[in-house]
mmCIF file of all heavy atoms in Angstrom:
data_model
loop_
_atom_site.group_PDB
_atom_site.id
_atom_site.type_symbol
_atom_site.label_atom_id
_atom_site.label_comp_id
_atom_site.label_asym_id
_atom_site.label_seq_id
_atom_site.Cartn_x
_atom_site.Cartn_y
_atom_site.Cartn_z
ATOM 1 N N VAL R 1 63.965 107.392 115.177
ATOM 2 C CA VAL R 1 64.344 108.835 114.709
ATOM 3 C C VAL R 1 63.435 109.232 113.526
ATOM 4 O O VAL R 1 62.885 110.334 113.538
ATOM 5 C CB VAL R 1 65.746 108.955 114.494
ATOM 6 C CG1 VAL R 1 66.064 110.323 113.843
ATOM 7 C CG2 VAL R 1 66.603 108.870 115.878
ATOM 8 N N ALA R 2 63.223 108.263 112.567
ATOM 9 C CA ALA R 2 62.509 108.570 111.419
ATOM 10 C C ALA R 2 61.015 108.789 111.729
ATOM 11 O O ALA R 2 60.353 109.686 111.244
ATOM 12 C CB ALA R 2 62.510 107.381 110.395
ATOM 13 N N ARG R 3 60.414 108.036 112.728
ATOM 14 C CA ARG R 3 59.125 108.194 113.267
ATOM 15 C C ARG R 3 59.054 109.568 113.848
ATOM 16 O O ARG R 3 57.998 110.360 113.694
ATOM 17 C CB ARG R 3 58.701 107.151 114.242
ATOM 18 C CG ARG R 3 58.369 105.922 113.558
ATOM 19 C CD ARG R 3 57.596 104.844 114.517
ATOM 20 N NE ARG R 3 58.551 104.332 115.442
ATOM 21 C CZ ARG R 3 59.254 103.267 115.247
ATOM 22 N NH1 ARG R 3 59.350 102.606 114.057
ATOM 23 N NH2 ARG R 3 59.977 102.776 116.285
ATOM 24 N N ILE R 4 59.941 110.015 114.724
ATOM 25 C CA ILE R 4 59.983 111.327 115.245
ATOM 26 C C ILE R 4 59.950 112.484 114.286
ATOM 27 O O ILE R 4 59.192 113.398 114.361
ATOM 28 C CB ILE R 4 61.233 111.492 116.282
ATOM 29 C CG1 ILE R 4 61.028 110.570 117.475
ATOM 30 C CG2 ILE R 4 61.250 112.944 116.767
ATOM 31 C CD1 ILE R 4 62.282 110.484 118.331
ATOM 32 N N LYS R 5 60.696 112.304 113.206
ATOM 33 C CA LYS R 5 60.845 113.254 112.210
ATOM 34 C C LYS R 5 59.583 113.398 111.471
ATOM 35 O O LYS R 5 59.073 114.419 111.069
ATOM 36 C CB LYS R 5 62.018 112.929 111.249
ATOM 37 C CG LYS R 5 62.215 114.085 110.155
ATOM 38 C CD LYS R 5 63.340 113.736 109.225
ATOM 39 C CE LYS R 5 63.446 114.881 108.248
ATOM 40 N NZ LYS R 5 64.316 114.602 107.137
ATOM 41 N N ALA R 6 59.051 112.167 111.057
ATOM 42 C CA ALA R 6 57.659 112.213 110.399
ATOM 43 C C ALA R 6 56.540 112.888 111.100
ATOM 44 O O ALA R 6 55.653 113.422 110.481
ATOM 45 C CB ALA R 6 57.286 110.843 110.062
ATOM 46 N N ALA R 7 56.691 112.823 112.431
ATOM 47 C CA ALA R 7 55.726 113.519 113.344
ATOM 48 C C ALA R 7 55.978 114.881 113.496
ATOM 49 O O ALA R 7 55.258 115.642 114.312
ATOM 50 C CB ALA R 7 55.546 112.707 114.592
ATOM 51 N N GLY R 8 56.996 115.445 112.921
ATOM 52 C CA GLY R 8 57.357 116.807 113.103
ATOM 53 C C GLY R 8 58.165 117.139 114.356
ATOM 54 O O GLY R 8 58.265 118.436 114.729
ATOM 55 N N GLY R 9 58.767 116.157 114.978
ATOM 56 C CA GLY R 9 59.582 116.416 116.186
ATOM 57 C C GLY R 9 61.034 116.794 115.933
ATOM 58 O O GLY R 9 61.921 116.190 116.439
ATOM 59 N N PHE R 10 61.194 117.864 115.177
ATOM 60 C CA PHE R 10 62.532 118.343 114.898
ATOM 61 C C PHE R 10 62.326 119.851 114.849
ATOM 62 O O PHE R 10 61.354 120.461 114.797
ATOM 63 C CB PHE R 10 63.042 117.941 113.535
ATOM 64 C CG PHE R 10 62.230 118.203 112.426
ATOM 65 C CD1 PHE R 10 62.430 119.430 111.743
ATOM 66 C CD2 PHE R 10 61.155 117.334 111.939
ATOM 67 C CE1 PHE R 10 61.735 119.791 110.571
ATOM 68 C CE2 PHE R 10 60.411 117.702 110.982
ATOM 69 C CZ PHE R 10 60.698 118.829 110.167
ATOM 70 N N VAL R 11 63.602 120.582 114.902
ATOM 71 C CA VAL R 11 63.525 121.970 114.758
ATOM 72 C C VAL R 11 64.359 122.456 113.420
ATOM 73 O O VAL R 11 65.277 121.755 113.156
ATOM 74 C CB VAL R 11 64.234 122.736 115.890
ATOM 75 C CG1 VAL R 11 63.368 122.620 117.244
ATOM 76 C CG2 VAL R 11 65.579 122.318 116.241
ATOM 77 N N ASP R 12 63.723 123.362 112.742
ATOM 78 C CA ASP R 12 64.361 123.828 111.461
ATOM 79 C C ASP R 12 65.520 124.652 111.949
ATOM 80 O O ASP R 12 65.461 125.469 112.851
ATOM 81 C CB ASP R 12 63.416 124.745 110.722
ATOM 82 C CG ASP R 12 62.490 123.849 109.914
ATOM 83 O OD1 ASP R 12 63.042 123.063 109.120
ATOM 84 O OD2 ASP R 12 61.361 124.168 109.949
ATOM 85 N N LEU R 13 66.649 124.571 111.265
ATOM 86 C CA LEU R 13 67.879 125.282 111.464
ATOM 87 C C LEU R 13 68.241 125.992 110.225
ATOM 88 O O LEU R 13 68.721 125.409 109.156
ATOM 89 C CB LEU R 13 69.047 124.311 111.917
ATOM 90 C CG LEU R 13 70.389 124.954 112.049
ATOM 91 C CD1 LEU R 13 70.369 125.979 113.185
ATOM 92 C CD2 LEU R 13 71.407 123.817 112.448
ATOM 93 N N ILE R 14 67.972 127.308 110.197
ATOM 94 C CA ILE R 14 68.371 128.075 109.032
ATOM 95 C C ILE R 14 69.699 128.854 109.382
ATOM 96 O O ILE R 14 69.691 129.583 110.478
ATOM 97 C CB ILE R 14 67.247 129.110 108.654
ATOM 98 C CG1 ILE R 14 65.795 128.398 108.609
ATOM 99 C CG2 ILE R 14 67.636 129.970 107.483
ATOM 100 C CD1 ILE R 14 65.846 127.417 107.545
ATOM 101 N N GLN R 15 70.754 128.751 108.606
ATOM 102 C CA GLN R 15 71.981 129.429 108.797
ATOM 103 C C GLN R 15 72.243 130.373 107.751
ATOM 104 O O GLN R 15 72.503 130.026 106.677
ATOM 105 C CB GLN R 15 73.133 128.438 109.044
ATOM 106 C CG GLN R 15 72.835 127.480 110.139
ATOM 107 C CD GLN R 15 73.979 126.517 110.341
ATOM 108 O OE1 GLN R 15 75.143 126.924 110.300
ATOM 109 N NE2 GLN R 15 73.797 125.213 110.381
ATOM 110 N N TRP R 16 72.276 131.687 108.060
ATOM 111 C CA TRP R 16 72.679 132.690 107.187
ATOM 112 C C TRP R 16 74.037 133.267 107.580
ATOM 113 O O TRP R 16 74.121 133.623 108.816
ATOM 114 C CB TRP R 16 71.588 133.867 107.139
ATOM 115 C CG TRP R 16 71.950 134.977 106.295
ATOM 116 C CD1 TRP R 16 71.857 135.192 104.935
ATOM 117 C CD2 TRP R 16 72.647 136.180 106.709
ATOM 118 N NE1 TRP R 16 72.305 136.352 104.492
ATOM 119 C CE2 TRP R 16 72.817 137.053 105.602
ATOM 120 C CE3 TRP R 16 73.036 136.714 107.947
ATOM 121 C CZ2 TRP R 16 73.418 138.323 105.701
ATOM 122 C CZ3 TRP R 16 73.699 137.873 108.029
ATOM 123 C CH2 TRP R 16 73.790 138.637 106.962
ATOM 124 N N ARG R 17 75.007 133.383 106.687
ATOM 125 C CA ARG R 17 76.178 133.873 107.089
ATOM 126 C C ARG R 17 76.599 134.993 106.213
ATOM 127 O O ARG R 17 76.797 134.911 105.033
ATOM 128 C CB ARG R 17 77.267 132.798 107.076
ATOM 129 C CG ARG R 17 76.965 131.684 108.097
ATOM 130 C CD ARG R 17 77.776 130.469 107.776
ATOM 131 N NE ARG R 17 77.230 129.346 108.640
ATOM 132 C CZ ARG R 17 77.948 128.951 109.775
ATOM 133 N NH1 ARG R 17 78.997 129.506 110.184
ATOM 134 N NH2 ARG R 17 77.409 127.874 110.400
ATOM 135 N N ALA R 18 76.940 136.186 106.905
ATOM 136 C CA ALA R 18 77.139 137.377 106.104
ATOM 137 C C ALA R 18 78.408 137.192 105.162
ATOM 138 O O ALA R 18 78.401 137.638 104.003
ATOM 139 C CB ALA R 18 77.482 138.595 107.004
ATOM 140 N N HIS R 19 79.396 136.526 105.588
ATOM 141 C CA HIS R 19 80.616 136.309 104.789
ATOM 142 C C HIS R 19 80.558 135.150 103.808
ATOM 143 O O HIS R 19 81.301 135.241 102.878
ATOM 144 C CB HIS R 19 81.878 136.106 105.712
ATOM 145 C CG HIS R 19 81.862 134.805 106.406
ATOM 146 N ND1 HIS R 19 80.924 134.456 107.404
ATOM 147 C CD2 HIS R 19 82.547 133.640 106.239
ATOM 148 C CE1 HIS R 19 81.069 133.222 107.812
ATOM 149 N NE2 HIS R 19 82.047 132.872 107.165
ATOM 150 N N ARG R 20 79.641 134.268 103.986
ATOM 151 C CA ARG R 20 79.678 133.086 103.213
ATOM 152 C C ARG R 20 78.433 133.059 102.291
ATOM 153 O O ARG R 20 78.547 132.700 101.141
ATOM 154 C CB ARG R 20 79.678 131.868 104.145
ATOM 155 C CG ARG R 20 79.886 130.490 103.411
ATOM 156 C CD ARG R 20 79.932 129.304 104.230
ATOM 157 N NE ARG R 20 81.085 129.342 105.052
ATOM 158 C CZ ARG R 20 81.341 128.339 105.999
ATOM 159 N NH1 ARG R 20 80.630 127.401 106.141
ATOM 160 N NH2 ARG R 20 82.498 128.460 106.661
ATOM 161 N N SER R 21 77.301 133.181 102.798
ATOM 162 C CA SER R 21 76.070 132.940 102.091
ATOM 163 C C SER R 21 75.424 134.268 101.514
ATOM 164 O O SER R 21 74.781 134.314 100.563
ATOM 165 C CB SER R 21 75.058 132.180 102.818
ATOM 166 O OG SER R 21 74.686 132.798 104.080
ATOM 167 N N ASN R 22 75.618 135.449 102.217
ATOM 168 C CA ASN R 22 74.952 136.612 101.804
ATOM 169 C C ASN R 22 75.379 137.069 100.312
ATOM 170 O O ASN R 22 74.457 137.426 99.531
ATOM 171 C CB ASN R 22 75.050 137.791 102.788
ATOM 172 C CG ASN R 22 74.314 138.921 102.404
ATOM 173 O OD1 ASN R 22 73.151 138.903 102.282
ATOM 174 N ND2 ASN R 22 75.005 140.108 102.201
ATOM 175 N N PRO R 23 76.655 137.032 100.025
ATOM 176 C CA PRO R 23 77.111 137.544 98.742
ATOM 177 C C PRO R 23 76.408 136.683 97.633
ATOM 178 O O PRO R 23 76.364 137.328 96.554
ATOM 179 C CB PRO R 23 78.492 137.344 98.719
ATOM 180 C CG PRO R 23 78.952 137.303 100.135
ATOM 181 C CD PRO R 23 77.835 136.797 100.923
ATOM 182 N N VAL R 24 76.118 135.517 97.823
ATOM 183 C CA VAL R 24 75.420 134.761 96.677
ATOM 184 C C VAL R 24 73.899 134.557 96.940
ATOM 185 O O VAL R 24 73.342 133.788 96.272
ATOM 186 C CB VAL R 24 76.144 133.432 96.491
ATOM 187 C CG1 VAL R 24 77.517 133.712 95.925
ATOM 188 C CG2 VAL R 24 76.202 132.539 97.720
ATOM 189 N N GLY R 25 73.371 135.237 97.963
ATOM 190 C CA GLY R 25 71.934 135.222 98.151
ATOM 191 C C GLY R 25 71.459 133.842 98.630
ATOM 192 O O GLY R 25 70.313 133.433 98.246
ATOM 193 N N MET R 26 72.182 133.132 99.528
ATOM 194 C CA MET R 26 71.797 131.826 99.980
ATOM 195 C C MET R 26 71.822 131.860 101.532
ATOM 196 O O MET R 26 72.276 132.700 102.135
ATOM 197 C CB MET R 26 72.630 130.819 99.448
ATOM 198 C CG MET R 26 72.565 130.569 97.880
ATOM 199 S SD MET R 26 73.643 129.230 97.350
ATOM 200 C CE MET R 26 72.775 127.744 97.919
ATOM 201 N N ALA R 27 71.084 130.760 101.938
ATOM 202 C CA ALA R 27 71.231 130.420 103.463
ATOM 203 C C ALA R 27 71.200 128.971 103.465
ATOM 204 O O ALA R 27 70.641 128.237 102.625
ATOM 205 C CB ALA R 27 70.036 130.966 104.194
ATOM 206 N N ASP R 28 71.763 128.335 104.537
ATOM 207 C CA ASP R 28 71.758 126.832 104.728
ATOM 208 C C ASP R 28 70.419 126.483 105.293
ATOM 209 O O ASP R 28 69.870 127.268 106.164
ATOM 210 C CB ASP R 28 72.828 126.366 105.577
ATOM 211 C CG ASP R 28 74.184 126.480 105.066
ATOM 212 O OD1 ASP R 28 74.352 126.203 103.839
ATOM 213 O OD2 ASP R 28 75.259 126.763 105.652
ATOM 214 N N ASP R 29 69.768 125.452 104.876
ATOM 215 C CA ASP R 29 68.521 124.905 105.263
ATOM 216 C C ASP R 29 68.795 123.499 105.868
ATOM 217 O O ASP R 29 69.183 122.649 105.179
ATOM 218 C CB ASP R 29 67.565 124.884 104.051
ATOM 219 C CG ASP R 29 66.171 124.467 104.394
ATOM 220 O OD1 ASP R 29 65.909 124.459 105.603
ATOM 221 O OD2 ASP R 29 65.481 124.009 103.582
ATOM 222 N N GLY R 30 68.561 123.388 107.110
ATOM 223 C CA GLY R 30 68.723 122.242 107.818
ATOM 224 C C GLY R 30 67.720 122.026 109.053
ATOM 225 O O GLY R 30 66.731 122.709 109.112
ATOM 226 N N TYR R 31 68.054 120.996 109.715
ATOM 227 C CA TYR R 31 67.245 120.703 110.892
ATOM 228 C C TYR R 31 68.016 119.987 112.046
ATOM 229 O O TYR R 31 69.074 119.443 111.646
ATOM 230 C CB TYR R 31 65.924 119.848 110.533
ATOM 231 C CG TYR R 31 66.244 118.502 110.029
ATOM 232 C CD1 TYR R 31 66.273 117.408 110.910
ATOM 233 C CD2 TYR R 31 66.691 118.209 108.743
ATOM 234 C CE1 TYR R 31 66.567 116.146 110.434
ATOM 235 C CE2 TYR R 31 66.929 116.994 108.264
ATOM 236 C CZ TYR R 31 66.875 115.884 109.189
ATOM 237 O OH TYR R 31 67.199 114.642 108.661
ATOM 238 N N VAL R 32 67.611 119.978 113.304
ATOM 239 C CA VAL R 32 68.159 119.317 114.284
ATOM 240 C C VAL R 32 67.254 118.240 114.860
ATOM 241 O O VAL R 32 66.028 118.611 115.102
ATOM 242 C CB VAL R 32 68.569 120.185 115.447
ATOM 243 C CG1 VAL R 32 69.159 119.435 116.609
ATOM 244 C CG2 VAL R 32 69.592 121.272 115.020
ATOM 245 N N LEU R 33 67.639 117.136 114.912
ATOM 246 C CA LEU R 33 66.981 115.996 115.509
ATOM 247 C C LEU R 33 67.897 115.037 116.181
ATOM 248 O O LEU R 33 68.279 115.318 117.307
ATOM 249 C CB LEU R 33 66.087 115.205 114.577
ATOM 250 C CG LEU R 33 65.305 113.958 115.079
ATOM 251 C CD1 LEU R 33 64.400 114.283 116.243
ATOM 252 C CD2 LEU R 33 64.384 113.331 113.953
ATOM 253 N N GLU R 34 68.462 114.069 115.600
ATOM 254 C CA GLU R 34 69.495 113.115 116.180
ATOM 255 C C GLU R 34 70.866 113.731 116.003
ATOM 256 O O GLU R 34 71.883 113.213 116.612
ATOM 257 C CB GLU R 34 69.453 111.718 115.610
ATOM 258 C CG GLU R 34 70.040 111.551 114.286
ATOM 259 C CD GLU R 34 69.373 112.114 113.179
ATOM 260 O OE1 GLU R 34 68.346 112.812 113.218
ATOM 261 O OE2 GLU R 34 69.841 111.935 111.947
ATOM 262 N N TRP R 35 71.083 114.748 115.123
ATOM 263 C CA TRP R 35 72.293 115.397 114.814
ATOM 264 C C TRP R 35 71.971 116.673 114.102
ATOM 265 O O TRP R 35 70.717 116.911 113.805
ATOM 266 C CB TRP R 35 72.993 114.326 113.835
ATOM 267 C CG TRP R 35 74.451 114.632 113.822
ATOM 268 C CD1 TRP R 35 75.371 114.191 114.662
ATOM 269 C CD2 TRP R 35 75.232 115.069 112.684
ATOM 270 N NE1 TRP R 35 76.673 114.456 114.211
ATOM 271 C CE2 TRP R 35 76.663 114.994 113.045
ATOM 272 C CE3 TRP R 35 74.893 115.594 111.376
ATOM 273 C CZ2 TRP R 35 77.657 115.326 112.176
ATOM 274 C CZ3 TRP R 35 75.938 116.048 110.485
ATOM 275 C CH2 TRP R 35 77.329 115.804 110.995
ATOM 276 N N ARG R 36 72.837 117.540 113.771
ATOM 277 C CA ARG R 36 72.622 118.692 113.060
ATOM 278 C C ARG R 36 72.686 118.299 111.537
ATOM 279 O O ARG R 36 73.777 118.185 111.080
ATOM 280 C CB ARG R 36 73.592 119.764 113.360
ATOM 281 C CG ARG R 36 73.292 121.171 112.728
ATOM 282 C CD ARG R 36 74.376 122.113 112.881
ATOM 283 N NE ARG R 36 75.461 121.749 111.965
ATOM 284 C CZ ARG R 36 76.668 122.117 112.139
ATOM 285 N NH1 ARG R 36 77.108 122.890 113.153
ATOM 286 N NH2 ARG R 36 77.608 121.881 111.196
ATOM 287 N N ASN R 37 71.545 118.265 110.948
ATOM 288 C CA ASN R 37 71.465 117.763 109.538
ATOM 289 C C ASN R 37 71.190 118.874 108.593
ATOM 290 O O ASN R 37 70.672 119.894 108.933
ATOM 291 C CB ASN R 37 70.292 116.696 109.474
ATOM 292 C CG ASN R 37 70.541 115.547 110.440
ATOM 293 O OD1 ASN R 37 71.324 114.690 110.092
ATOM 294 N ND2 ASN R 37 69.825 115.541 111.432
ATOM 295 N N PHE R 38 71.391 118.578 107.248
ATOM 296 C CA PHE R 38 71.106 119.475 106.197
ATOM 297 C C PHE R 38 69.912 118.888 105.460
ATOM 298 O O PHE R 38 69.963 117.680 105.172
ATOM 299 C CB PHE R 38 72.199 119.762 105.374
ATOM 300 C CG PHE R 38 73.215 120.624 105.851
ATOM 301 C CD1 PHE R 38 74.474 120.113 106.375
ATOM 302 C CD2 PHE R 38 73.122 121.976 105.888
ATOM 303 C CE1 PHE R 38 75.377 121.023 106.956
ATOM 304 C CE2 PHE R 38 74.023 122.852 106.614
ATOM 305 C CZ PHE R 38 75.276 122.348 107.098
ATOM 306 N N ASP R 39 69.003 119.692 104.948
ATOM 307 C CA ASP R 39 67.967 119.292 104.042
ATOM 308 C C ASP R 39 68.715 118.995 102.716
ATOM 309 O O ASP R 39 69.675 119.437 102.473
ATOM 310 C CB ASP R 39 66.823 120.345 103.883
ATOM 311 C CG ASP R 39 66.127 120.377 105.127
ATOM 312 O OD1 ASP R 39 65.761 119.437 105.818
ATOM 313 O OD2 ASP R 39 65.496 121.554 105.481
ATOM 314 N N ALA R 40 67.936 118.378 101.780
ATOM 315 C CA ALA R 40 68.496 118.103 100.426
ATOM 316 C C ALA R 40 68.655 119.444 99.686
ATOM 317 O O ALA R 40 68.048 120.406 100.022
ATOM 318 C CB ALA R 40 67.441 117.267 99.619
ATOM 319 N N GLY R 41 69.716 119.450 98.764
ATOM 320 C CA GLY R 41 69.910 120.556 97.993
ATOM 321 C C GLY R 41 71.206 121.004 98.255
ATOM 322 O O GLY R 41 72.080 120.511 99.072
ATOM 323 N N LYS R 42 71.570 122.257 97.651
ATOM 324 C CA LYS R 42 72.884 122.883 97.693
ATOM 325 C C LYS R 42 72.966 123.461 99.172
ATOM 326 O O LYS R 42 71.939 123.936 99.706
ATOM 327 C CB LYS R 42 73.086 123.973 96.812
ATOM 328 C CG LYS R 42 73.550 123.457 95.458
ATOM 329 C CD LYS R 42 73.828 124.761 94.624
ATOM 330 C CE LYS R 42 75.146 124.554 93.797
ATOM 331 N NZ LYS R 42 75.506 125.673 92.981
ATOM 332 N N LYS R 43 74.150 123.411 99.634
ATOM 333 C CA LYS R 43 74.443 124.021 101.064
ATOM 334 C C LYS R 43 75.757 124.831 101.015
ATOM 335 O O LYS R 43 76.611 124.543 100.210
ATOM 336 C CB LYS R 43 74.477 122.996 102.217
ATOM 337 C CG LYS R 43 75.653 121.905 101.927
ATOM 338 C CD LYS R 43 75.529 120.874 103.042
ATOM 339 C CE LYS R 43 76.671 119.967 102.879
ATOM 340 N NZ LYS R 43 76.512 118.633 103.224
ATOM 341 N N MET R 44 75.657 125.900 101.764
ATOM 342 C CA MET R 44 76.867 126.821 101.799
ATOM 343 C C MET R 44 77.803 126.335 102.883
ATOM 344 O O MET R 44 79.006 126.637 102.720
ATOM 345 C CB MET R 44 76.333 128.205 102.201
ATOM 346 C CG MET R 44 75.467 128.913 101.074
ATOM 347 S SD MET R 44 76.249 129.102 99.517
ATOM 348 C CE MET R 44 77.667 130.207 100.026
ATOM 349 N N PHE R 45 77.350 125.651 103.738
ATOM 350 C CA PHE R 45 78.192 125.282 104.994
ATOM 351 C C PHE R 45 78.892 123.919 104.607
ATOM 352 O O PHE R 45 78.526 122.889 104.946
ATOM 353 C CB PHE R 45 77.201 125.060 106.148
ATOM 354 C CG PHE R 45 78.132 124.885 107.561
ATOM 355 C CD1 PHE R 45 78.838 126.010 107.958
ATOM 356 C CD2 PHE R 45 78.166 123.720 108.191
ATOM 357 C CE1 PHE R 45 79.508 125.888 109.152
ATOM 358 C CE2 PHE R 45 78.904 123.728 109.419
ATOM 359 C CZ PHE R 45 79.535 124.725 109.822
#
């Protein structure tokens, strides 16, 4: 899975939610590969 990720074999998953993230100007930054994962940093979800 790490080799696939290093080769770019994942999809970015950006989640913006009007009720949760919009009021504070944020969106969740993640990706899908072996699971629905979050990138490092703060997350709203």
Side-chain angles (χ1 to χ4, degrees):
V1 169
R3 282 193 290 277
I4 294 168
K5 185 178 180 195
F10 60 91
V11 291
D12 278 310
L13 174 62
I14 308 303
Q15 296 181 49
W16 174 86
R17 296 167 189 257
H19 69 291
R20 187 181 292 181
S21 56
N22 187 58
V24 292
M26 292 182 73
D28 288 324
D29 183 15
Y31 66 96
V32 176
L33 180 52
E34 81 288 3
W35 204 71
R36 189 188 76 203
N37 300 286
F38 287 99
D39 289 329
K42 278 186 139 181
K43 61 184 181 211
M44 295 297 299
F45 192 67

